[in-house]
Amino acid sequence: MSTMPDPWFTPSHFVMLGLQFAFAIAHSGGAALRPLAEKHIGARLYRILFALVSLPLAVILIIYFFNHRYDGWQIWQVQGLPGVKAVVWVLSAISFLFLYPATFNLLEIAAIQKPQVHLYETGIIRITRHPQMVGQVIWCIAHSLWLGTSFTLVTSLGLVLHHLFGVWHGDRRLSQRYGEAFELVKQRTSIIPFKAIIDGRQSILWQEFIRPAYLGVVIFVALLWWSHPLLIIGTSKIGW
């Protein structure tokens, strides 16, 4: 009979929560300051500064997660079961389709075009008004299933809580910016996936998904699948 590590709640659990808290403050705080910042420094410079703060923190989080993913208590181990790996990869691929709807505006993300706040009601927004939150939840389920460690569960809990806060925070900012127009969008969409479709408030128009951005996400997932072992090896060389 296996014994639980002592102590099983390793310091890396707290480090990860601290890193996530710092990222949440930088990311959500930066989003809250956007209207004020754009008035004083312009939309493009704001986007560049926002990226310079957010991206390094995200990279640190990813590297730390890779290096400590098996820390703590091994709560379950299903990696050897038939079909589990396929399920994890399918769920991960689906999660990226939700996580990166912003790929529609890559030129704005890179500040080549003037970054703008958009009020969308088409494509994946018909399924859920907050696709990034849904994608993150799916990603967390897939990786928690595969790894089964307390560190992964703590990481997933932090990520989900941050994105749930983002749901409230995002709706609040859009409401302040668009007022009644956003209230009408809220009435026609849902946070819970497919709820608005089931209620009859929305219907899926498949032609809206025939876009280069979705092909880009598929290519990205394929590259990630191919490079995943290399990423694990590469991050393991960084002593974090």
Side-chain angles (χ1 to χ4, degrees):
M1 183 176 179
S2 61
T3 58
M4 189 184 302
D6 186 23
W8 67 268
F9 204 55
T10 60
S12 59
H13 293 65
F14 298 100
V15 173
M16 174 53 80
L17 289 175
L19 290 172
Q20 289 179 325
F21 187 65
F23 178 81
I25 291 176
H27 196 268
S28 297
L33 291 173
R34 179 173 184 169
L36 180 64
E38 288 186 344
K39 287 181 181 179
H40 288 85
I41 64 176
R44 285 190 175 90
L45 182 55
Y46 161 79
R47 169 61 65 181
I48 292 170
L49 293 176
F50 182 79
L52 288 175
V53 173
S54 296
L55 288 179
L57 288 172
V59 170
I60 291 171
L61 276 169
I62 292 169
I63 293 173
Y64 197 81
F65 175 75
F66 269 121
N67 288 344
H68 295 273
R69 63 194 185 281
Y70 285 109
D71 282 8
W73 179 26
Q74 187 72 48
I75 304 173
W76 59 77
Q77 176 57 265
V78 298
Q79 293 183 6
L81 296 180
V84 171
K85 186 174 184 178
V87 168
V88 169
W89 270 107
V90 169
L91 287 176
S92 297
I94 293 172
S95 76
F96 285 117
L97 291 174
F98 283 93
L99 273 169
Y100 297 111
T103 52
F104 298 154
N105 306 307
L106 280 176
L107 294 179
E108 291 182 27
I109 293 172
I112 297 171
Q113 292 180 347
K114 182 181 178 181
Q116 301 179 55
V117 177
H118 297 276
L119 192 62
Y120 285 119
E121 197 182 341
T122 59
I124 205 163
I125 305 300
R126 295 183 185 275
I127 297 175
T128 170
R129 192 168 67 251
H130 289 279
Q132 287 183 307
M133 179 274 292
V134 173
Q136 190 64 77
V137 170
I138 296 172
W139 186 95
C140 288
I141 290 172
H143 285 74
S144 296
L145 172 65
W146 180 252
L147 295 169
T149 62
S150 56
F151 177 83
T152 304
L153 288 182
V154 166
T155 301
S156 295
L157 177 63
L159 288 171
V160 171
L161 287 176
H162 175 221
H163 279 75
L164 289 176
F165 171 79
V167 168
W168 171 81
H169 194 228
D171 278 0
R172 179 173 176 269
R173 287 184 287 113
L174 288 173
S175 181
Q176 290 175 341
R177 188 180 186 97
Y178 292 104
E180 186 178 350
F182 178 64
E183 293 304 314
L184 293 174
V185 169
K186 285 178 66 176
Q187 293 174 18
R188 293 191 294 259
T189 58
S190 63
I191 297 173
I192 300 172
F194 296 102
K195 186 175 186 298
I197 296 171
I198 295 172
D199 292 345
R201 290 176 284 147
Q202 277 291 349
S203 58
I204 296 180
L205 301 180
W206 294 108
Q207 59 269 30
E208 293 178 352
F209 292 87
I210 304 175
R211 303 185 61 170
Y214 284 109
L215 177 60
V217 174
V218 172
I219 293 172
F220 171 77
V221 171
L223 289 174
L224 185 63
W225 177 82
W226 173 79
S227 64
H228 204 266
L230 299 177
L231 287 172
I232 293 176
I233 294 172
T235 55
S236 66
K237 298 181 183 298
I238 302 174
W240 293 350

